[in-house]
Amino acid sequence: MSVFEHVVYHSACLDPSNPSKPTLEIEAVVREGDVDDGPVLLPWADFVFMVGKPIADRCYREFADTGRIVEHLGVKHLSFPLWTAGDIIHR
């Protein structure tokens, strides 16, 4: 997995049991500026691919109503505004 300027790339769904309350776990090389000052963002298209369009469509309104659907560089993302860092090593 990788994160660059807050955006998660190369992700996979490990537990699809509760798609309206997703947990994002990232193991990646993180460089300065990648996660320092804001939410972690998962491209909406990746979320749809992971859980399937019918499930994503059901979750979309709840995410939008709670401000978790955000635009970044003209693309919709699912925002993870609250997160806890494990071991972060800047390289």
Side-chain angles (χ1 to χ4, degrees):
M1 299 194 193
S2 59
V3 179
F4 179 69
E5 294 181 354
H6 302 278
V7 179
V8 176
Y9 297 95
H10 314 293
S11 55
C13 182
L14 301 178
D15 181 4
S17 64
N18 196 358
S20 65
K21 305 244 185 287
T23 299
L24 184 65
E25 183 176 315
I26 302 166
E27 182 176 334
V29 173
V30 177
R31 293 184 172 80
E32 190 171 334
D34 288 341
V35 296
D36 299 344
D37 60 349
V40 174
L41 305 174
L42 178 68
W44 180 250
D46 288 356
F47 181 78
V48 172
F49 179 76
M50 284 190 271
V51 302
K53 186 166 176 11
I55 293 171
D57 287 347
R58 286 196 306 264
C59 296
Y60 185 84
R61 179 56 37 213
E62 179 182 347
F63 291 144
D65 288 348
T66 58
R68 292 197 58 199
I69 300 295
V70 299
E71 288 235 357
H72 176 67
L73 301 174
V75 176
K76 287 184 183 173
H77 289 76
L78 178 57
S79 174
F80 290 82
L82 302 173
W83 56 276
T84 303
D87 297 327
I88 293 182
I89 301 169
H90 290 286
R91 296 177 189 218

